[in-house]
Amino acid sequence: MNTRLYINGEWATAADGGEFTTSDPATGTVLATCAEAGPKDVEDAVDAARTALHDPAWATMPPSARARLLWRVADLIEEHKADLAELETRDQGQPLGVAHSVSVNGAAEHFRYFAGWCTKIEGAVSPVSFPDTLHYVRREPVGVCALITPWNFPLMIASWKLAPALACGNTVIIKPAEQTPLTTVRLIELCAEAGFPPGVVNLLTGGPDVGRALVAHPDIDKVSFTGSSSVGREIVQASAGNLKRVTLELGGKAPSVIARDADIDKAVAGNLQGALLNSGQVCAAYTRLYVDRRRADEFTEKLAAAASGLRLGPGLAPDTQIGPLVSQDHLDQVDSYVRTGADQGAELVTGGQRADGPLSSGNFYTPTVFGGVTDDMTIAREEIFGPVLPVLAYDDPEELAARANDTDFGLAASIWTRDLSTAHRLAADIRAGAVFINMLPIPDAAAPWGGYKTSGWGREMGPYALDAYTEIKGVWVHFDT
Ligand code: NAD
């Protein structure tokens, strides 16, 4: 398979002939050769998006027509859901069931949800105190948006950005992660089929340099980025030239509190899934499990037994529960965290190695549980983004909020308890963008998503995404009497 760039309504190879490959993390087989955008392609895409922003075919398109386009994309995603899910599994590695229920459904739901907003992006009348003066507020598109996405949920995260950006009338250039570009290419094919005017939606595939060129470009008005906190910092600096608008969805190190009164079996099942969805390659994964010391042994034993019983395998195999990690490099990084955990004195209860036997040609890593973890250990502080569950004990519930907040991250948190006051007190005291009580960290198009501290700037989803993709204009009208 060969994939191309999509610029101004045309599919094209890179101007300088650049290419890269993407492979199946379950087998190492090359899946596709993709166009690697170069400087000329970046210029062409930005020009196309700038021109389309003012093209009456888009700029004056009635909101109801924009809504129909977004709805059509959702319909097309559903029509092609089997192919999309399989492609996501091949390129990213996630089990097919996850690709269906999280990635493809999440993508379609986002387009439907934001299709609904197109006709509801209202202004306001402001009660100014000048006499004989009307002041009203318009929400206008920010302009040309660069949308830069990571490799863990490529299709879904592309939709988190494309749907609200287009609903608000912006034009876009999307740059998927170089490890997993294929479902984004397919999604852009579906956008083309839906009938967006040329230049409204553009696609540049390639590596970090393509992202850098977009972020530094003076004719880009906004960057919406999902990825690591370190790249997020680079983006803030590189976008300073024209002070472009920036929203950032970055890393996490979500604490999960398992209170003394928690139903331990439910907490084990919930934390296992909350930590290991997509092999732990989830920004909101539960990765610091704080358990009441009186229940820590029971919890750790049950968690380890459940983790070691999970079936590793290729995402396309029907009985697979845990797929491969996205790349050999990433596996090496996860393994190095595991070694550091053991070196620093954590007790390795299960896992902690690359899978062998028939799975050795893919990037499979055994689900890993550590007991006896303390707050200062690297595995309790840094984002591992893999199938590693550190269990920490606590003695006094009063210490929990401070310990949960003792991190640079603030994306998500979880609380497992039957006691309402424990749940709501901690939910208020933990500094994170989303707190999940007795449930998994799954997003929904209607609920805000984003982080405190180094987990990001701004919010995606819900009406909050409209703030991220619109500028506010105040119009003053004086009545000349
Ligand atoms: P990454 O930061 O390495 O790369 C993300 C994207 O940025 C890729 O498309 C990459 O090509 C591009 N890029 C890299 N360097 C760049 C630069 N200097 N300028 C512009 N673009 C650049 O992240 P990743 O490894 O693909 O993804 C994993 C990270 O993403 C984790 O930290 C995870 O927590 C985070 N993440 C966050 C959320 C969220 O909603 N908060 C969701 C998913 C993933």
Side-chain angles (χ1 to χ4, degrees):
M1 186 201 287
N2 285 303
T3 74
R4 291 176 292 169
L5 312 175
Y6 187 65
I7 300 173
N8 205 23
E10 307 279 345
W11 292 96
T13 53
D16 62 7
E19 289 181 342
F20 66 103
T21 58
T22 178
S23 27
D24 181 340
T27 60
T29 316
V30 171
L31 290 172
T33 301
C34 308
E36 166 108 36
K40 170 149 189 340
D41 306 307
V42 171
E43 288 307 320
D44 289 351
V46 175
D47 280 355
R50 176 62 55 193
T51 305
L53 189 66
H54 304 294
D55 178 353
W58 181 241
T60 64
M61 180 182 281
S64 56
R66 273 205 318 269
R68 278 195 294 275
L69 280 177
L70 266 76
W71 196 267
R72 176 86 183 115
V73 176
D75 283 347
L76 287 168
I77 292 172
E78 281 183 351
E79 247 173 63
H80 296 279
K81 64 184 175 194
D83 296 348
L84 278 165
E86 187 180 326
L87 193 60
E88 194 73 311
T89 291
R90 283 190 192 283
D91 202 18
Q92 201 280 332
Q94 57 197 244
L96 195 56
V98 173
H100 267 288
S101 61
V102 181
S103 297
V104 177
N105 279 349
E109 283 310 315
H110 261 74
F111 276 95
R112 286 208 203 294
Y113 177 82
F114 284 103
W117 270 114
C118 294
T119 50
K120 299 165 195 71
I121 301 172
E122 295 179 343
V125 174
S126 316
V128 294
S129 297
F130 293 102
D132 298 328
T133 305
L134 167 70
H135 181 277
Y136 64 95
V137 167
R138 287 166 52 85
R139 276 184 184 267
E140 298 185 348
V142 179
V144 177
C145 300
L147 313 177
I148 303 178
T149 57
W151 49 253
N152 62 333
F153 281 103
L155 176 68
M156 185 176 70
I157 294 177
S159 305
W160 291 3
K161 299 187 186 306
L162 279 167
L166 295 168
C168 294
N170 297 281
T171 58
V172 304
I173 301 159
I174 188 157
K175 208 264 338 141
E178 56 277 22
Q179 298 88 345
T180 55
L182 297 183
T183 49
T184 305
V185 175
R186 191 74 192 101
L187 178 61
I188 299 307
E189 286 173 1
L190 299 180
C191 289
E193 190 178 338
F196 287 92
V200 170
V201 178
N202 303 277
L203 164 74
L204 295 179
T205 43
D209 282 346
V210 184
R212 285 190 191 98
L214 289 169
V215 171
H217 201 292
D219 220 16
I220 297 255
D221 300 300
K222 181 194 165 81
V223 174
S224 173
F225 171 76
T226 298
S228 58
S229 296
S230 57
V231 173
R233 282 191 191 88
E234 281 181 46
I235 286 177
V236 168
Q237 286 171 352
S239 60
N242 65 341
L243 290 176
K244 38 178 76 67
R245 307 294 176 254
V246 176
T247 42
L248 303 169
E249 300 288 344
L250 306 177
K253 189 73 188 170
S256 179
V257 170
I258 294 95
R260 188 180 174 196
D261 71 330
D263 177 326
I264 286 291
D265 292 330
K266 280 192 183 152
V268 165
N271 280 279
L272 194 72
Q273 285 189 61
L276 295 181
L277 177 69
N278 200 12
S279 302
Q281 301 167 121
V282 173
C283 50
Y286 301 158
T287 53
R288 291 183 284 148
L289 312 183
Y290 293 95
V291 188
D292 185 295
R293 194 175 298 280
R294 288 159 288 194
R295 310 205 66 185
D297 287 347
E298 177 194 1
F299 179 83
T300 309
E301 276 162 31
K302 287 184 168 173
L303 188 69
S308 60
L310 292 171
R311 280 185 305 278
L312 259 72
L316 290 180
D319 57 349
T320 288
Q321 292 172 298
I322 302 277
L325 296 173
V326 75
S327 66
Q328 172 70 48
D329 283 354
H330 187 53
L331 184 145
D332 291 342
Q333 197 175 325
V334 169
D335 188 56
S336 136
Y337 273 116
V338 169
R339 302 292 132 238
T340 304
D343 290 348
Q344 291 180 347
E347 182 203 348
L348 180 61
V349 187
T350 189
Q353 61 194 1
R354 184 179 195 135
D356 48 21
L359 295 182
S360 56
S361 56
N363 308 317
F364 294 94
Y365 201 83
T366 52
T368 302
V369 174
F370 276 111
V373 178
T374 52
D375 294 7
D376 55 334
M377 290 180 185
T378 307
I379 57 170
R381 305 207 67 79
E382 295 186 13
E383 185 183 44
I384 302 174
F385 224 57
V388 182
L389 296 90
V391 180
L392 303 90
Y394 73 87
D395 294 300
D396 180 354
E398 292 299 315
E399 72 198 53
L400 279 169
R403 289 179 69 187
N405 289 332
D406 180 21
T407 170
D408 292 336
F409 295 110
L411 186 64
S414 173
I415 302 160
W416 298 81
T417 182
R418 287 185 266 215
D419 178 52
L420 279 177
S421 58
T422 303
H424 291 295
R425 192 172 302 129
L426 274 174
D429 288 347
I430 292 179
R431 290 175 55 72
V435 180
F436 298 89
I437 299 171
N438 297 326
M439 62 177 288
L440 303 180
I442 302 285
D444 184 294
W449 187 262
Y452 284 40
K453 302 194 267 183
T454 64
S455 289
W457 283 358
R459 295 291 180 272
E460 293 189 304
M461 305 183 209
Y464 310 93
L466 307 179
D467 295 334
Y469 289 102
T470 51
E471 291 277 13
I472 299 286
K473 178 183 280 176
V475 180
W476 299 73
V477 186
H478 182 63
F479 307 128
D480 223 352
T481 50

